[in-house]
Amino acid sequence: VKPDMGVVVFLHQTASSEQLERLTDYMEEKCEDINGDGEVYINIINCSYSPDDKNGQYEMTVLNKLQATLAADYDALLYVTDSSSYGYFSQNNGSDGLFTEEPYKLSDNMISKLGTDEIPFMYKDLHITCRSYYDTVLEKDKNAKAVYEQSQKILEAIKSE
């Protein structure tokens, strides 16, 4: 199954596979079938790591994955971050023009939907934002416009909760 779009999860804390599955389910409820295959499938691109982990090699691998996604994955325009990881963009990439707006802080109610009674979603400092599309190289990719428009719809749906 070809993903309709991707969502980058970039947290300065580790995210479990169960938490990422819940996030996938939540996002898929808000997404339309962009590629016309009759199914909605969102690919979560996990670029999270804990800065407290002293394994510098793993951190470098994750950051390289993030940079490659920024450079070449035009189907992944939504970014879920925490305050610390969002600061990475300002420090290393200059977030000026990278995103359409400042990240939207997800409500505690919305975050609670990402957990279960057995496994609560542990992060309270989550934000979501969208990469800029207009006046960027993304405009040259025929699928990126549909992904961008769907990303904006998902953002609006999340903000209206």
Side-chain angles (χ1 to χ4, degrees):
V1 176
K2 182 179 184 296
D4 291 284
M5 62 184 291
V7 174
V8 177
V9 177
F10 179 48
L11 305 173
H12 277 173
Q13 49 202 325
T14 55
S16 72
S17 59
E18 292 89 1
Q19 292 165 330
L20 295 173
E21 285 175 28
R22 297 287 294 189
L23 180 62
T24 302
D25 293 343
Y26 178 80
M27 292 291 191
E28 286 177 348
E29 289 173 8
K30 300 187 172 341
C31 187
E32 297 171 7
D33 178 18
I34 297 172
N35 62 21
D37 67 358
E39 297 181 46
V40 174
Y41 173 60
I42 290 181
N43 180 33
I44 297 290
I45 302 164
N46 185 16
C47 296
S48 301
Y49 71 96
S50 173
D52 297 333
D53 186 348
K54 301 304 178 205
N55 184 346
Q57 183 65 37
Y58 180 73
E59 178 180 343
M60 187 58 64
T61 301
V62 169
L63 293 176
N64 284 337
K65 179 180 176 182
L66 177 67
Q67 290 296 331
T69 301
L70 280 166
D73 195 338
Y74 298 169
D75 292 338
L77 303 182
L78 284 177
Y79 282 69
V80 176
T81 65
D82 54 26
S83 296
S84 178
S85 62
Y86 185 78
Y88 169 84
F89 295 112
S90 299
Q91 293 171 353
N92 296 292
N93 296 310
S95 60
D96 222 18
L98 183 60
F99 298 107
T100 56
E101 59 188 280
E102 287 296 307
Y104 175 77
K105 185 173 184 340
L106 301 179
S107 70
D108 289 343
N109 181 45
M110 193 240 124
I111 291 171
S112 70
K113 293 178 184 180
L114 300 176
T116 64
D117 290 339
E118 297 82 32
I119 306 171
F121 204 80
M122 65 184 76
Y123 311 124
K124 298 296 181 196
D125 178 37
L126 292 181
H127 302 81
I128 189 166
T129 191
C130 183
R131 291 241 349 241
S132 296
Y133 170 78
Y134 295 104
D135 298 322
T136 71
V137 296
L138 296 175
E139 284 186 305
K140 296 177 183 173
D141 184 274
K142 64 179 180 166
N143 190 51
K145 183 172 186 178
V147 172
Y148 175 76
E149 289 171 351
Q150 184 61 49
S151 297
Q152 291 297 312
K153 288 179 184 177
I154 291 171
L155 270 177
E156 289 308 312
I158 289 171
K159 289 178 181 179
S160 70
E161 286 189 351

